[in-house]
Amino acid sequence: MRALLLVGLFLIGTFGTNIEASPAAFVETWAEHFPEVTSVGWGDLTGDGQEEILVAQGDRIQVLRRGGDALELAWELELPGISVTSICVAGPGRLIVGTGQAGTVRCFRLMGSQAVEVQRSSYLWSPVKKILSADLTGTGREEFVALTEKGSVHLFQLDESGLEQLWVSPGDIPLHLLLVADYDGDGRSELVVGDESAVEVLKWVEGEMLTVWKNYPWGQLTGVFQGADRELWLRTGQDVLYAYRWNGETFVLSWSLSDPLLNMEAPVLGQIDDQPAFIGGATLPLPGVGVWKASRSGLEEVWFSGPIGVVKTVLHLPTGEFLVATDRDVVHLWRPVPADYYRAFFDGQPIQLLHPPVQRRGNLWISLRDISELFRLTMAWDRETKSITILKDSLYVILKPDGQQIEVNGQSRILSASPFIQEGVTYVPVDFVRFALGGFVDWNDRTRTLWIQP
């Protein structure tokens, strides 16, 4: 019978649909509820070479440290009288925050587990929504760029006397996009700002901020990113992505693409498998977070979290992990894993499957051979009907690898998806265990854990 089964599984390979597994995956290693999160950030705050995660809740900042793969609360910083709206770790023991209300940039020094304010800016008259560390002037002094809710951009320089404002953007058109990057390769960064219709690249020259390039892409400008090889990427609300490259004198269009997948929430641009990738919120089929590899040929979705809520903020960490804050007041930490990573339990005991489960957008398939081994089934291939017969005691099941309908002791049942063949292996959707065998299966796509109960 086993020889007949092996021959049968080989023969049905030409009749199934081949569904490739995702080339990359992520596992949720930690999630915590934080009511009324106002900002998140990261950096080596203590100077021990290991970054901390910072979660701001108004006048309190939760400082989280590593505990294995997860995060653990190390201490809480209290900043009475202010509302933290943005965070920047300037180095060991140095914390820069932007505030709400009238809006200020404030510098704190860490004294043990306490934060002591040492400098602050004058009022900006608008909450600060983003702060970036920068080196625009080349003087060697610490500099920060702040973007406010009303759309003004401010350049500050930090010295012993306090925070000196070196430049503020003209107030005629509100800005909502901010990026700092060295595009001409001179060791000093350029400042990239954008409003709804235009992007502008600015450079500090002899005490002045000068425009070196300005462009009006087609459509509403919704994002600016530092792409591969110092490319400047622009995203518009018309689902268009433009990639520009500095040629020594100006930016020239390198390539562009149009893709509906560009319609994502709060995206950041990082690296996945040494290739540029967007990490951001997806709304279909349910709100969650996704990863899309990006190139001039288009976007390729490589992973989707499943429903976790509408994404508000994404941070891509140097470790390859990413931190996600959602509208459900939950902060999640995701870690990259091999595409075939999983944990499996059968009747409460950990097991190793012969073939990793295959997941694709809400559906999960398990190899029929693994199910046969676990439930001790007998299987046979019928050449005439091109179907598989499964036997156990008084149970018999008939299925075809190209259809959702199965027959269980003469009764018709409909699976959630069709079985398929991949590399000579037959896979069935997980609800096959319930419909055909009367067992229980649960899959947690966040932790990539499979439970099977006979």
Side-chain angles (χ1 to χ4, degrees), residues 286-353:
L286 292 171
V289 63
V291 176
W292 299 267
K293 287 186 179 180
S295 67
R296 63 183 64 196
S297 59
L299 266 64
E300 173 196 357
E301 181 182 300
V302 296
W303 177 81
F304 178 69
S305 70
I308 62 172
V310 177
V311 173
K312 296 170 57 178
T313 306
V314 179
L315 294 181
H316 194 217
L317 307 180
T319 56
E321 300 165 297
F322 54 88
L323 196 76
V324 178
T326 73
D327 65 341
R328 298 178 181 176
D329 290 334
V330 176
V331 180
H332 306 256
L333 181 66
W334 301 85
R335 174 173 61 88
V337 293
D340 58 359
Y341 173 87
Y342 71 94
R343 294 186 302 164
F345 297 84
F346 182 76
D347 200 13
Q349 299 299 314
I351 58 172
Q352 184 70 38
L353 300 176

Side-chain angles (χ1 to χ4, degrees), residues 103-125:
T104 56
V105 175
R106 304 192 181 199
C107 304
F108 293 86
R109 186 171 294 278
L110 196 66
M111 302 293 183
S113 60
Q114 303 295 318
V116 178
E117 184 174 345
V118 292
Q119 283 117 347
R120 74 169 67 178
S121 72
S122 57
Y123 289 116
L124 307 182
W125 305 115

Side-chain angles (χ1 to χ4, degrees), residues 85-336:
T85 56
S86 52
I87 302 174
C88 176
V89 177
R94 311 279 303 283
L95 182 65
I96 314 297
V97 303
T99 71
Q101 294 91 32
T104 56
V105 175
R106 304 192 181 199
C107 304
F108 293 86
R109 186 171 294 278
L110 196 66
M111 302 293 183
S113 60
Q114 303 295 318
V116 178
E117 184 174 345
V118 292
Q119 283 117 347
R120 74 169 67 178
S121 72
S122 57
Y123 289 116
L124 307 182
W125 305 115
S126 178
V128 179
K129 70 176 187 178
K130 189 173 186 178
I131 295 179
L132 298 176
S133 178
D135 178 15
L136 300 178
T137 67
T139 60
R141 297 178 180 176
E142 286 189 278
E143 297 165 4
F144 306 96
V145 182
L147 173 66
T148 69
E149 291 285 353
K150 73 177 181 182
S152 60
V153 175
H154 304 255
L155 171 61
F156 294 99
Q157 191 172 79
L158 179 64
D159 56 29
E160 295 180 355
S161 61
L163 278 172
E164 178 187 2
Q165 180 172 283
L166 300 182
W167 175 82
V168 60
S169 62
D172 49 345
I173 300 178
L175 303 170
H176 70 283
L177 299 174
L178 180 66
L179 175 66
V180 173
D182 180 11
Y183 283 105
D184 60 11
D186 68 348
R188 291 191 295 123
S189 295
E190 286 75 54
L191 180 64
V192 182
V193 296
D195 56 41
E196 291 188 352
S197 61
V199 63
E200 192 169 3
V201 179
L202 305 165
K203 192 172 185 65
W204 187 263
V205 180
E206 297 180 354
E208 295 184 74
M209 193 70 78
L210 303 180
T211 299
V212 297
W213 184 73
K214 191 170 186 178
N215 186 264
Y216 296 84
W218 178 73
Q220 182 181 5
L221 190 62
T222 57
V224 292
F225 310 92
Q226 183 177 2
D229 300 323
R230 296 206 297 256
E231 286 183 335
L232 173 59
W233 289 11
L234 312 180
R235 184 186 72 152
T236 73
Q238 285 64 38
D239 300 333
V240 178
L241 182 68
Y242 299 93
Y244 290 88
R245 185 185 298 275
W246 180 258
N247 68 359
E249 297 181 357
T250 186
F251 284 93
V252 294
L253 182 64
S254 178
W255 52 272
S256 65
L257 65 90
S258 177
D259 195 318
L261 290 176
L262 287 165
N263 184 23
M264 61 189 82
E265 300 291 335
V268 297
L269 189 63
Q271 291 280 329
I272 304 296
D273 296 333
D274 298 323
Q275 182 176 334
F278 283 107
I279 305 161
T283 57
L284 296 175
L286 292 171
V289 63
V291 176
W292 299 267
K293 287 186 179 180
S295 67
R296 63 183 64 196
S297 59
L299 266 64
E300 173 196 357
E301 181 182 300
V302 296
W303 177 81
F304 178 69
S305 70
I308 62 172
V310 177
V311 173
K312 296 170 57 178
T313 306
V314 179
L315 294 181
H316 194 217
L317 307 180
T319 56
E321 300 165 297
F322 54 88
L323 196 76
V324 178
T326 73
D327 65 341
R328 298 178 181 176
D329 290 334
V330 176
V331 180
H332 306 256
L333 181 66
W334 301 85
R335 174 173 61 88

Side-chain angles (χ1 to χ4, degrees), residues 385-400:
T385 61
K386 296 182 176 62
S387 62
I388 301 173
T389 299
I390 300 169
L391 304 172
K392 181 180 181 182
D393 300 328
S394 61
L395 173 73
Y396 75 89
V397 180
I398 300 175
L399 69 84
K400 295 184 178 181

